[in-house]
Amino acid sequence: SDIRPEPGRPFGLDLPADAGGRVVGEVLEAVPFERLSMAWRSAAPESAAPDSHVTFELTPRPEGGTHLRIIHTVTMAAAVGA
């Protein structure tokens, strides 16, 4: 993995074959200690796997600790020739 929290930075990530294999993506937003947003898709052109967009939000809790909210949106790519 070569993910760095720099908006616009592309990355690649090797997942197990049964989880989709290699994915490629881009960091969309990075706000230290608050939010990280990324989008990715399968590196295989013939893949039917959906595109993903995930945002991790961190919010301090008044009683201590941190609340983590994960927002994951999945988008099916349009069929070729459709």
Side-chain angles (χ1 to χ4, degrees), residues 42-49 80:
S42 172
E46 71 283 356
S47 174
V80 175

Side-chain angles (χ1 to χ4, degrees), residues 7-78:
R9 181 174 174 84
F11 65 86
L13 184 62
D14 292 312
L15 302 176
D18 62 345
R22 181 142 181 93
V23 297
V24 292
E26 179 181 351
V27 174
L28 303 174
E29 182 182 24
V31 180
F33 309 106
E34 291 182 22
R35 183 174 27 265
L36 177 63
S37 182
M38 304 179 295
W40 66 82
R41 66 177 46 179
S42 172
E46 71 283 356
S47 174
D51 294 350
S52 285
H53 178 195
V54 67
T55 299
F56 302 92
E57 295 179 345
L58 302 172
T59 308
R61 298 186 65 144
E63 65 276 6
T66 302
H67 179 261
L68 169 63
R69 180 178 181 205
I70 302 171
I71 305 162
H72 184 204
T73 305
V74 182
T75 306
M76 297 303 292

